[in-house]
Amino acid sequence: MDDRREELARRLAQVRERIASACAAAGRDPGEVAMLAVTKTIPARDVALLHALGLRDFGENRAQEAAAKVVEVAELLGNPPAGAAPRWYFVGGLQRNKARLVAPWVTRVESVDSARLADALDAQARRAADDGERDGPLPVLLQYSVDGDPGRGGVARDGLLTLASHVAGCAGLRLDGLMAVAPLHADPEEAFADVAAAAEVLRAEHPAATVLSAGMSGDLDVAIRHGSTCVRVGTALVGERRLASR
């Protein structure tokens, strides 16, 4: 366990340095860019170690795995001090019938790409609030598709504002901004320039939607240069993926 903690601490320091360097190169304050640790498929004990190293924001992409891990991590951490509890984010494609699994515990859903998914989350967020499991609306990001490929998820530019208006009209949801992934074989500069332009279009209609979740282990530097306010870091932080277990 000590070896793993040392490895995670080393990786975390390297990622933080990358973010700081990217911000310096872009003339930005590092405090403007949050880091979301993508912990999908890693065991709950690693999340607990990352929490001990000071991280609070963790991203998952499979509803059932995430729901179980939230419970496991809570058991490992016991009762952390006020303000130190983990915050959980859902960053992958979400089926409508799984909305009920994430609504009680998720801090933000970053992958809303259809009105039907928004409606499912809206209903489950309102139910969770009625049951005392949530305090206020569920923050969400619209997942933007750079290339318009329906197989990769996301809403294309021509449907972005229509979906944004729909989400803004859902009483159980709060529209916080945009999430995007650069297509695998795309030029990151072109991809994130397009993402930045889409985010600007969204903010023009919805000024409170200021979050731009863009950039991962391989391209976070470029994403920060194009205005990302949240980078989602997995492999660079935790290494190669392993099966989740305690």
Side-chain angles (χ1 to χ4, degrees), residues 41-222:
T41 76
I42 72 165
R45 64 176 176 269
D46 278 3
V47 178
L49 288 173
L50 290 169
H51 182 274
L53 292 169
L55 293 185
R56 297 293 179 264
D57 298 317
F58 303 99
E60 294 285 326
N61 75 337
R62 297 175 182 170
Q64 288 174 302
E65 176 191 330
K69 191 179 295 181
V70 167
V71 173
E72 291 180 27
V73 171
E75 291 174 351
L76 290 171
L77 296 182
N79 296 308
R87 295 181 291 264
W88 296 94
Y89 297 72
F90 197 84
V91 298
L94 181 63
Q95 296 176 319
R96 297 189 305 279
N97 63 356
K98 299 294 178 60
R100 61 182 176 80
L101 293 179
V102 305
W105 51 263
V106 74
T107 298
R108 184 168 74 206
V109 173
E110 301 205 347
S111 50
V112 174
D113 61 358
S114 72
R116 295 175 71 187
L117 176 56
D119 288 342
L121 284 168
D122 177 41
Q124 294 301 326
R126 286 186 283 111
R127 179 201 58 76
D130 289 343
D131 292 344
E133 296 173 316
R134 294 201 63 83
D135 181 14
L138 167 60
V140 301
L141 304 183
L142 305 185
Q143 181 177 346
Y144 173 64
S145 173
V146 174
D147 57 8
D149 181 355
R152 296 179 60 251
V155 59
R157 179 77 71 91
D158 60 4
L160 182 63
L161 292 182
T162 299
L163 179 57
S165 295
H166 185 89
V167 170
C170 293
L173 305 180
R174 188 183 78 202
L175 177 58
D176 274 8
L178 200 70
M179 182 274 271
V181 178
L184 185 60
H185 299 296
D187 179 342
E189 289 286 350
E190 294 181 2
F192 287 121
D194 181 73
V195 170
E200 186 175 351
V201 167
L202 178 63
R203 287 193 300 271
E205 292 290 327
H206 301 273
T210 58
V211 175
L212 177 54
S213 179
M216 300 186 292
S217 293
D219 54 22
L220 65 85
D221 316 79
V222 183

